[in-house]
Amino acid sequence: MNLIELLGNCLKQGNYEKKAHAMRAQWLARDLERIGERESGDDDDEDYDDDSDIENPNDIALTSGTVDLIPEVEWWDLELLNGAQYDESFDMQMITSLIEHPVQIKPAVPQPEIASMPLFLTAREKKKIVRMRKKEKQDAITDRIRLGLQQPPEPRVKLSNLMRVLGNSAIQDPSAVEKKVRAQVEKRKIKHTLHNAERKLTPQERKLKKRAKLKEDTSNETQVALFRVTDLSNRKHRFKIDVNAQQYNLTGCCIINPKCNLILIEGGPTGIRKYTRLMLHRIKWVV
């Protein structure tokens, strides 16, 4: 027999409920008796303060010694009343058909901004967006040509489509047409070369771009990596360890000992990942 069955046999259902109802009735009778004595004026402070042996859990102790009385007129009605009492006389000038909106008060503590999740697109969606942008740009050019705001571009003539594009003019003087087509092809080639030369970065700009690409913001997250190397006597290995740490904007130290060598590196996640690949895969420690 477990504890629950033992208690069930000893106690009958509703035993404590009866005791609770009896205690509530006793407290209610005592409160009614005190109210009657207070109204008759025969009560004394000593009799009223005389507590019974049973404590009433419904009695709540007041934290302050004074209790605010109900005012004659509420403060929000003072501007509408002519006097200090509720009667039929109201200040009708204060009653209009307009709605008064309270002034918004900024919170003392600024609310944290809700960070929105970035929208990641698949490769297929990115290609679709590029196609749509190209189509919109081409449609805008076509509309300008139809309205006469822009001259139509010259036909893109090549030696392969010479007869199809020019037609009869190519048959009348083929040598002159071929010369003209070769000049257009050379002109397009020069334009393409000049355009690439303008966009080409100088060695200094290429260096700065590569350095900015490897630079990371370590204010939010910083990772640490520790490597144990048995032998660091090879100068090429020491050079790679030092130069790659500088290129990946990593900081740390290297402890060299004849028996054991330790390399401690600290930096951003991308730099730590690339440096870990250098230490574990790229460097051939055993030749």
Side-chain angles (χ1 to χ4, degrees), residues 133-197:
R133 289 178 179 173
K134 287 184 178 179
K135 186 176 181 303
E136 291 176 358
K137 186 177 180 181
Q138 187 63 32
D139 292 344
I141 295 175
T142 305
D143 294 339
R144 291 177 62 87
I145 293 173
R146 289 176 180 175
L147 295 174
L149 302 176
Q150 182 177 347
Q151 294 294 332
E154 296 182 358
R156 189 180 180 88
V157 184
K158 300 184 292 184
L159 295 177
S160 59
N161 63 354
L162 176 64
M163 300 300 297
R164 186 174 69 252
V165 175
L166 298 179
N168 297 329
S169 59
I171 298 174
Q172 295 174 2
D173 193 356
S175 300
V177 171
E178 182 181 356
K179 183 179 179 181
K180 182 179 179 181
V181 170
R182 289 185 182 275
Q184 290 182 0
V185 172
E186 188 66 23
K187 182 179 178 181
R188 289 196 298 266
K189 186 177 180 180
I190 294 173
K191 182 180 179 182
H192 177 72
T193 305
L194 293 176
H195 181 69
N196 289 344

Side-chain angles (χ1 to χ4, degrees), residues 207-218 246-250 267-271 274:
K207 186 177 180 180
L208 294 175
K209 181 180 178 181
K210 186 176 181 180
R211 186 175 298 176
K213 187 177 180 181
L214 295 174
K215 191 175 181 180
E216 297 182 76
D217 185 13
T218 57
Q246 296 178 13
Q247 292 177 351
Y248 296 144
N249 299 315
L250 303 177
T270 304
K274 293 180 178 294

Side-chain angles (χ1 to χ4, degrees), residues 192-248:
H192 177 72
T193 305
L194 293 176
H195 181 69
N196 289 344
E198 291 177 359
R199 294 175 63 251
K200 187 177 181 180
L201 299 177
T202 61
Q204 183 67 17
E205 292 175 347
R206 193 181 302 110
K207 186 177 180 180
L208 294 175
K209 181 180 178 181
K210 186 176 181 180
R211 186 175 298 176
K213 187 177 180 181
L214 295 174
K215 191 175 181 180
E216 297 182 76
D217 185 13
T218 57
S219 59
N220 297 328
E221 181 181 3
T222 303
Q223 295 185 3
V224 179
L226 180 64
F227 302 96
R228 178 182 178 274
V229 182
T230 305
D231 185 14
L232 271 181
S233 58
N234 194 335
R235 295 179 60 185
K236 292 183 179 180
H237 294 170
R238 295 199 300 268
F239 177 79
K240 290 181 180 180
I241 290 172
D242 184 18
V243 172
N244 280 271
Q246 296 178 13
Q247 292 177 351
Y248 296 144

Side-chain angles (χ1 to χ4, degrees), residues 16-287:
Y16 288 109
E17 293 180 0
K18 293 180 180 179
K19 290 183 178 181
H21 290 312
M23 293 172 65
R24 292 192 187 95
Q26 183 180 358
W27 293 329
L28 181 60
R30 187 189 62 180
D31 293 340
L32 292 175
E33 182 180 355
R34 288 180 177 178
I35 293 173
E37 293 177 355
R38 192 184 309 172
E39 291 178 354
S40 61
D42 297 337
D43 56 329
D44 295 329
D45 293 341
E46 296 180 357
D47 296 340
Y48 183 76
D49 294 338
D50 185 14
D51 295 331
S52 61
D53 297 336
I54 302 174
E55 184 180 358
N56 188 351
N58 297 326
D59 293 342
I60 301 175
L62 297 176
T63 56
S64 60
T66 59
V67 179
D68 295 337
L69 299 177
I70 299 175
E72 294 290 339
V73 178
E74 299 293 347
W75 61 270
W76 53 80
D77 293 334
L78 289 175
E79 296 183 1
L80 299 176
L81 299 176
N82 291 325
Q85 293 181 355
Y86 287 105
D87 49 13
E88 296 181 357
S89 60
F90 293 95
D91 189 359
M92 301 304 297
Q93 296 181 356
M94 300 296 296
I95 301 175
T96 61
S97 60
L98 303 178
I99 299 176
E100 181 179 357
H101 297 277
V103 180
Q104 296 183 358
I105 302 175
K106 294 183 178 180
V109 179
Q111 298 294 330
E113 297 181 358
I114 301 176
S116 59
M117 293 295 294
L119 180 61
F120 297 100
L121 301 176
T122 60
R124 188 174 181 180
E125 292 173 342
K126 292 178 181 178
K127 291 181 180 179
K128 184 178 179 181
I129 292 175
V130 171
R131 289 197 305 269
M132 293 175 62
R133 289 178 179 173
K134 287 184 178 179
K135 186 176 181 303
E136 291 176 358
K137 186 177 180 181
Q138 187 63 32
D139 292 344
I141 295 175
T142 305
D143 294 339
R144 291 177 62 87
I145 293 173
R146 289 176 180 175
L147 295 174
L149 302 176
Q150 182 177 347
Q151 294 294 332
E154 296 182 358
R156 189 180 180 88
V157 184
K158 300 184 292 184
L159 295 177
S160 59
N161 63 354
L162 176 64
M163 300 300 297
R164 186 174 69 252
V165 175
L166 298 179
N168 297 329
S169 59
I171 298 174
Q172 295 174 2
D173 193 356
S175 300
V177 171
E178 182 181 356
K179 183 179 179 181
K180 182 179 179 181
V181 170
R182 289 185 182 275
Q184 290 182 0
V185 172
E186 188 66 23
K187 182 179 178 181
R188 289 196 298 266
K189 186 177 180 180
I190 294 173
K191 182 180 179 182
H192 177 72
T193 305
L194 293 176
H195 181 69
N196 289 344
E198 291 177 359
R199 294 175 63 251
K200 187 177 181 180
L201 299 177
T202 61
Q204 183 67 17
E205 292 175 347
R206 193 181 302 110
K207 186 177 180 180
L208 294 175
K209 181 180 178 181
K210 186 176 181 180
R211 186 175 298 176
K213 187 177 180 181
L214 295 174
K215 191 175 181 180
E216 297 182 76
D217 185 13
T218 57
S219 59
N220 297 328
E221 181 181 3
T222 303
Q223 295 185 3
V224 179
L226 180 64
F227 302 96
R228 178 182 178 274
V229 182
T230 305
D231 185 14
L232 271 181
S233 58
N234 194 335
R235 295 179 60 185
K236 292 183 179 180
H237 294 170
R238 295 199 300 268
F239 177 79
K240 290 181 180 180
I241 290 172
D242 184 18
V243 172
N244 280 271
Q246 296 178 13
Q247 292 177 351
Y248 296 144
N249 299 315
L250 303 177
T251 58
C253 62
C254 178
I255 303 174
I256 300 177
N257 189 276
K259 296 182 179 181
C260 176
N261 304 282
L262 295 179
I263 300 172
L264 179 64
I265 292 297
E266 180 184 17
T270 304
I272 292 294
R273 186 179 70 253
K274 293 180 178 294
Y275 197 83
T276 302
R277 179 168 178 78
L278 167 75
M279 298 295 293
L280 300 181
H281 301 282
R282 290 170 54 192
I283 297 179
K284 307 302 179 183
W285 299 102
V286 179
V287 180

